Amino acid sequence: MNRVVHFELVSRDPGATAAFYAEAFGWRTVRGEGDYYRLITGENEDGARGINGATVRPVAPSLPTQTVNTIQVDDVDAYAEKVRSLGGRTISDVIELAGVGRFRYCADPDGTPFGLIEYRG
């Protein structure tokens, strides 16, 4: 089964959004490149993390602020094709994430965006 493994809070001001969640919920934030802020929601007593995320700017200025869930798959290209065959669409090219894997934004038939990630082992 392909699980949600990451979320993004799309924001016009990712730094302020990261600060809000840090103050409100105690999440730890780690600034990445540009306006990308990792959001660490916590660790369980056994050291296993819960679902973590990030806050980022919209990929296009016309897109609304929203939450985008990312689903782990074993092949981004194959799942992008499956998404299209079922009436969804891809809304970005494949993004190579150094040291992590391959990522692509998609949308379901209703237009709700989500991400696909293929981790490199």
Side-chain angles (χ1 to χ4, degrees):
M1 180 176 299
N2 300 297
R3 299 174 44 130
V4 173
V5 294
H6 180 80
F7 66 88
E8 289 179 342
L9 301 174
V10 179
S11 168
R12 306 253 180 256
D13 188 347
T17 299
F20 168 81
Y21 283 94
E23 183 67 27
F25 300 107
W27 295 358
R28 189 166 54 92
T29 63
V30 179
R31 184 163 189 179
E33 292 183 32
D35 283 329
Y36 184 89
Y37 292 80
R38 288 182 49 224
L39 301 172
I40 311 301
T41 64
E43 293 185 358
N44 296 332
E45 289 148 0
D46 63 2
R49 292 186 175 184
I51 186 170
N52 292 312
T55 181
V56 297
R57 290 191 185 277
V59 293
S62 62
L63 290 176
T65 57
Q66 59 199 336
T67 299
V68 177
N69 292 307
T70 297
I71 302 163
Q72 182 179 354
V73 297
D74 58 5
D75 184 334
V76 164
D77 298 321
Y79 275 88
E81 181 57 36
K82 188 174 188 178
V83 164
R84 288 190 293 267
S85 75
L86 295 170
R89 61 190 174 96
T90 55
I91 55 177
S92 79
D93 292 330
V94 171
I95 301 165
E96 296 290 335
L97 302 172
V100 176
R102 301 173 72 229
F103 177 84
R104 187 169 205 166
Y105 287 105
C106 298
D108 67 20
D110 202 32
T112 303
F114 61 92
L116 299 174
I117 191 162
E118 171 188 332
Y119 289 118
R120 290 204 174 100

